[in-house]
Amino acid sequence: MGLALSLSCSLIWAADLRALSVAPQDVVPQIDGRLDEAVWQRAPVYDQFVQFQPEDKKPAAWRTTVQVLLTQDALVIGIRAYDPAPELIRAPLKRRDTVARDQDFVSVVLDPVGQRRSAQFARVSAAGVIGDGMFTAEDDVEDFAPDFEIEAAAQRLPDGYSVELRWPFAALRYPYSAGLPWRMMVVRNIPRQEASTLNVSAPLTKDALSFIAELQVLGGLDELQQQVRDRSFFSVRPELTARRREDSQAGQPDSRQREFNIGGELKWRPRADWVIDAVINPDFSQVELDTPQLAGNTRFALSLQEKRPFFLESTDVVGQTKADDEGQNQSLAAFYSRAITDPDWGLRATWRGTTADATALSLRDAGGGQVLRAHAFSTDSYVQPAQSLASFARGRMQWAGLNLGLLLSDRNYGGGQFNRVLGSDLSWSASDSDLLRGHLLVSSTKTSMDAEDGVAAAEQGHRVWLGWRHRSEDWSSQLNYEDVGPRFANDNGFVSQAGYRRASLSLHRRLATKSLAPLGEWSRFPTYELEWTLKLAQAQTLRDASQDVPGGELIERRVQPGFWIATARNTGIWGHLGLDQLRAKSGGNLHSPRTLTLGFESNPHDILSFVTAELEWGRRLDVEADRLGTGANLWLLAKLRIPVPWGLGLELEQQWSEGYVSAPQGGRSFTDSYRQTLLVLHLNARNSIRLISQDTYFQRREEASLAAMQASTARRSLMYQYRQGLSRIFSLGLNRADAGPGGLSHGTELFAKAQMAW
């Protein structure tokens, strides 16, 4: 890459965005989206945007301007999005953090540390809806879970729309001294029926290792660090929750209980580089239900996304665990906050410097959840002890392109029972196209959960992971190697499988844009990208005497050639053949399933704003029966925005998934399915009514070696919510849960929850 995007572009790149300091006599802008205060007339204007998607290295067709103001306590960013057809702007009322590619939006990506390792981002739609979070360069992913105290507004105009965004210094994280220049990039999304484009203010191309690889220097902040680095910010967010529950189960008397919970969170930033978080008696009940998952035909535990704010302050420093479709951890398997079930109190501190950062937390968990013990072919689950103390710390240092980290995790259950993990990790940017990552973790575990009598002796385990990622104009490749000992455990983390050695390779060969022109003419749709893909993987067991698993036994061998196409309307089409070998259990047969997987996603219409589906069909493995059978697995998600008069907004999301494998004698051996319907009526930008309906169903029919099984759940949630940013939230709702078969148990909950911030 370089500053000149291409010879055909003939564009001279201005590297910096610049901020204007607001003088004491100036009127500080009101955040109304209008950009009509006099100070905006003096602020430098930046408008050198280029196209990033669907095709990079091209000038942006429509003008976008950016201006940045520096006030005593915040950055104020004004963005003007010109549009020759403003009547086509898509600006629906939506929930926070649902600003997606089906809407017109602008986004500010900001890195106050200046290292381009991570960045905070804030999206603002043309309707003024906010979506914010953290972007991590090493994983090249954006996480919408963290929320920041930001203020934004949008204004529709005859020739487009404008946005004002106020980002307080209290919501930014940056070094105390010797800091690098702040970096920023502005993004504009333009969805249209014919094509959807993403324009950026930086010289970013698709062969960059991450989306934040080319953030621009934000000039005009020379005196900022001295002015604000010693300022202290303090906020308290008390919460009050009242609920009434009624539970009934067949053959047992009904139970009724009332709960009145007072708790809260505290955030203190004594100076620029330190943030202290505390939580006391929080109510972490899931007001928003988790998305259900098919779990009837899998050997491994499934992870869930974190939504609780206490755990989200420093996700970029912690390195939250993620898992791929096969349940394999592809990131630092160190801390999984969902392992914390019901904390009584918690305390954490986060520090950020120019070339180093660190975070540490400790909390007392009241328990009641699950503790996982993974094996090569399965994962055992135990009831979490009534009380435990969970602690975690991680620090990182950076030299040029090399990052080194140390971590310590401890789960103390009392009575001499514990789980401890010590480890180190590294990340090395060998070039603009290559990234090498890895970690080594060792664990020591002594608990009674997996002991027949008393407390088991301490057991040691290890986890080694090495990963290499390469990205260039023609190739995108990933190579991973994992070695996880049979006794490795991390009760503060997420371990879905242990006792194995696995190597995997993912290759993506990109075709040149010029060679795709005939495809567009043939299909009547432009073909922007075409990739041929090949995924290879092989996993073998490590010897585990306690599970009677020998060493060197093949668990899986995957060979999956495929393709990926990008075309109009943000449409992606993909598919692959599954030419795999799988083993369901140790000593079992080595099966050779043959499957075809096809999928797509698109923003087809302003009403049907997003739809995605994936179908796997062919000879699939029935894990419990240890055999192959004809079967399928289908997943569908559709999002609709239904026009409503009187300024209301209506969202409808429908998810449906079903999987099955046929029995040798005909009919289905099992059926595993779920449905979820989400309906949100926005009365205005602050008031909404939300309905969620979830149903899960699993049935296995009786066979010679298998007992019949049936399980089902039905959940209904109706909630009214008033939300003024993050400072004032009031929720009133009714939840109903039924579990089967035959609705054997019922639970009803009426709750009211209020959160305030000062």
Side-chain angles (χ1 to χ4, degrees):
M1 290 177 289
L3 295 183
L5 290 180
S6 67
L7 293 176
S8 61
C9 186
S10 66
L11 178 65
I12 300 176
W13 199 271
D16 292 0
L17 295 157
R18 293 200 62 82
L20 172 71
S21 294
V22 177
Q25 66 271 19
D26 289 325
V27 176
V28 177
Q30 293 186 358
I31 306 304
D32 54 14
R34 297 183 183 276
L35 305 179
D36 55 359
E37 289 84 2
V39 68
W40 288 117
Q41 307 305 314
R42 305 199 316 272
V45 176
Y46 184 91
D47 63 356
Q48 296 188 41
F49 280 68
V50 294
Q51 186 180 128
F52 178 67
Q53 290 181 348
E55 297 177 271
D56 60 0
K57 305 177 184 176
K58 290 186 174 182
W62 297 348
R63 190 179 185 224
T64 307
T65 65
V66 182
Q67 297 171 280
V68 182
L69 300 177
L70 177 61
T71 71
Q72 292 295 315
D73 59 356
L75 288 178
V76 181
I77 302 157
I79 303 173
R80 185 78 160 80
Y82 292 87
D83 196 319
E87 69 279 3
L88 299 180
I89 290 175
R90 299 184 181 182
L93 289 176
K94 299 276 287 184
R95 290 160 291 144
R96 188 185 182 109
D97 289 339
T98 59
V99 181
R101 291 292 305 277
D102 61 310
Q103 305 156 52
D104 281 85
F105 69 75
V106 294
S107 177
V108 176
V109 185
L110 188 58
D111 174 17
V113 178
Q115 294 280 10
R116 288 172 285 185
R117 290 178 301 186
S118 61
Q120 300 171 251
F121 68 85
R123 289 182 179 180
V124 184
S125 76
V129 181
I130 296 173
D132 55 353
M134 290 290 300
F135 198 100
T136 306
E138 290 183 350
D139 298 307
D140 196 25
V141 296
E142 54 187 7
D143 182 4
F144 281 91
D147 291 326
F148 310 117
E149 291 280 4
I150 56 179
E151 184 182 0
Q155 183 71 29
R156 297 288 294 273
L157 301 170
D159 58 351
Y161 66 97
S162 58
V163 166
E164 279 180 308
L165 171 66
R166 182 180 179 274
W167 208 316
F169 297 135
L172 294 172
R173 309 292 179 247
Y174 48 93
Y176 180 75
S177 61
L180 296 175
W182 291 20
R183 290 182 175 270
M184 192 172 88
M185 180 173 69
V186 177
V187 182
R188 180 185 177 186
N189 184 61
I190 309 171
R192 294 296 182 268
Q193 288 288 89
E194 322 75 49
S196 180
T197 60
L198 195 71
N199 298 330
V200 295
S201 66
L204 184 67
T205 60
K206 293 178 181 177
D207 56 333
L209 277 174
S210 79
F211 189 68
I212 61 174
E214 296 294 336
L215 299 184
Q216 301 158 270
V217 170
L218 178 58
L221 307 182
D222 297 338
E223 299 179 2
L224 171 67
Q225 197 170 66
Q226 298 296 326
Q227 293 174 354
V228 303
R229 66 180 186 176
D230 289 306
R231 291 184 188 173
S232 176
F233 298 97
F234 183 83
S235 68
V236 179
R237 187 189 304 276
E239 63 178 29
L240 175 64
T241 306
R243 59 167 44 88
R244 182 176 183 271
R245 288 189 56 88
E246 293 186 3
D247 297 287
S248 63
Q249 191 166 352
Q252 297 184 11
D254 295 353
S255 66
R256 295 180 175 84
Q257 57 181 343
R258 295 181 179 180
E259 298 179 7
F260 190 77
N261 187 80
I262 299 177
E265 297 182 37
L266 177 151
K267 186 180 291 292
W268 176 38
R269 202 194 76 172
R271 65 183 204 180
D273 53 343
W274 279 98
V275 178
I276 310 297
D277 291 277
V279 65
I280 301 174
N281 197 28
D283 177 63
F284 279 158
S285 61
Q286 289 299 307
V287 175
E288 293 192 28
L289 301 179
D290 289 314
T291 301
Q293 304 176 77
L294 295 184
N297 192 43
T298 182
R299 298 165 290 176
F300 309 119
L302 301 173
S303 61
L304 297 170
Q305 183 186 23
E306 180 57 85
K307 300 177 181 179
R308 299 171 294 182
F310 173 74
F311 297 103
L312 299 173
E313 165 61 38
S314 54
T315 56
D316 57 319
V317 183
V318 169
Q320 294 274 45
T321 298
K322 294 174 290 299
D324 63 14
D325 295 337
E326 283 78 39
Q328 306 299 322
N329 298 328
Q330 296 299 320
S331 187
L332 183 63
F335 184 71
Y336 175 59
S337 52
R338 285 299 187 97
I340 311 300
T341 306
D342 184 18
D344 294 324
W345 56 263
L347 182 67
R348 81 182 298 166
T350 304
W351 173 80
R352 284 181 173 85
T354 305
T355 59
D357 50 39
T359 188
L361 67 86
S362 185
L363 53 83
R364 187 173 66 191
D365 191 358
Q370 294 179 323
V371 176
L372 304 179
R373 289 289 182 266
H375 309 295
F377 292 94
S378 64
T379 300
D380 295 332
S381 176
Y382 301 93
V383 177
Q384 197 177 65
Q387 193 174 95
S388 62
L389 185 67
S391 302
F392 175 84
R394 185 186 184 213
R396 300 184 301 179
M397 296 190 68
Q398 182 182 51
W399 299 273
L402 178 64
N403 293 275
L404 291 178
L406 291 173
L407 67 93
L408 174 65
S409 175
D410 181 79
R411 193 66 173 256
N412 191 326
Y413 298 105
Q417 301 183 66
F418 59 83
N419 168 255
R420 295 168 185 155
V421 178
L422 176 67
S424 177
D425 61 279
L426 68 85
S427 172
W428 178 43
S429 298
S431 69
D432 290 341
S433 302
D434 297 276
L435 178 68
L436 178 67
R437 302 177 62 195
H439 63 248
L440 169 63
L441 307 177
V442 293
S443 69
S444 179
T445 306
K446 186 178 181 181
T447 68
S448 61
M449 285 175 282
D450 48 0
E452 295 182 0
D453 297 303
V455 178
E459 297 178 322
Q460 281 68 45
H462 71 274
R463 175 187 170 93
V464 177
W465 173 65
L466 288 173
W468 168 73
R469 186 168 84 230
H470 171 80
R471 189 173 294 176
S472 64
E473 189 172 354
D474 299 324
W475 288 95
S476 177
S477 311
Q478 291 192 56
L479 177 64
N480 290 283
Y481 172 79
E482 298 171 276
D483 188 302
V484 185
R487 303 277 75 82
F488 178 75
N490 185 0
D491 292 353
N492 287 336
F494 181 78
V495 184
S496 62
Q497 189 179 12
Y500 71 97
R501 182 178 292 123
R502 185 174 191 260
S504 62
L505 174 65
S506 176
L507 297 172
H508 296 249
R509 177 66 169 90
R510 298 173 179 169
L511 270 67
T513 304
K514 292 181 179 179
S515 66
L516 303 180
L519 293 176
E521 296 173 1
W522 173 76
S523 65
R524 297 176 60 187
F525 286 97
T527 303
Y528 299 120
E529 292 185 57
L530 172 60
E531 295 181 357
W532 299 115
T533 65
L534 177 62
K535 296 181 180 180
L536 304 173
Q538 178 163 313
Q540 294 177 289
T541 61
L542 300 177
R543 186 175 180 274
D544 185 357
S546 66
Q547 297 290 315
D548 294 324
V549 175
E553 187 175 34
L554 184 66
I555 302 172
E556 65 175 13
R557 179 180 292 126
R558 296 185 182 272
V559 180
Q560 298 179 349
F563 68 93
W564 182 80
I565 297 174
T567 182
R569 303 179 186 179
N570 277 339
T571 300
I573 304 170
W574 63 88
H576 68 257
L577 293 174
L579 311 175
D580 307 328
Q581 291 181 292
L582 303 175
R583 197 185 306 273
K585 61 183 179 181
S586 181
N589 295 324
L590 184 62
H591 302 283
S592 298
R594 295 294 180 263
T595 58
L596 172 65
T597 299
L598 294 172
F600 79 97
E601 64 179 11
S602 182
N603 301 135
H605 194 267
D606 54 350
I607 294 179
L608 181 58
S609 61
F610 178 73
V611 60
T612 182
E614 185 172 88
L615 171 66
E616 179 190 57
W617 176 84
R619 297 280 291 173
R620 301 181 66 225
L621 177 62
D622 185 336
V623 173
E624 188 174 354
D626 192 17
R627 65 171 179 240
L628 294 178
T630 302
N633 192 356
L634 175 63
W635 174 71
L636 172 69
L637 168 63
K639 299 182 180 182
L640 292 91
R641 299 198 308 258
I642 302 173
V644 179
W646 312 298
L648 305 179
L650 186 62
E651 294 180 69
L652 175 62
E653 293 186 10
Q654 181 66 55
Q655 291 192 61
W656 174 64
S657 186
E658 183 165 322
Y660 73 92
V661 173
S662 298
Q665 62 271 32
R668 293 185 176 184
S669 179
F670 74 86
T671 298
D672 190 7
S673 66
Y674 76 75
R675 297 189 305 274
Q676 176 172 286
T677 300
L678 168 66
L679 185 67
V680 183
L681 176 63
H682 296 274
L683 306 178
N684 51 46
R686 294 182 177 179
N687 295 272
S688 63
I689 299 174
R690 190 204 68 193
L691 172 67
I692 295 180
S693 175
Q694 281 185 1
D695 294 278
T696 64
Y697 175 77
F698 179 80
Q699 182 181 39
R700 179 176 290 279
R701 76 184 198 184
E702 185 177 7
E703 300 180 31
S705 58
L706 294 172
M709 179 181 177
Q710 183 175 336
S712 63
T713 62
R715 297 180 180 180
R716 308 290 181 262
S717 175
L718 179 64
M719 185 181 73
Y720 161 79
Q721 186 174 83
Y722 167 83
R723 182 173 190 141
Q724 183 178 344
L726 302 179
S727 59
R728 290 175 175 81
I729 303 175
F730 173 75
S731 305
L732 178 64
L734 175 67
N735 295 329
R736 168 80 178 187
D738 300 292
L744 294 178
S745 64
H746 310 275
T748 303
E749 176 187 64
L750 178 65
F751 69 90
K753 185 172 183 176
Q755 297 171 282
M756 305 286 285
W758 290 281

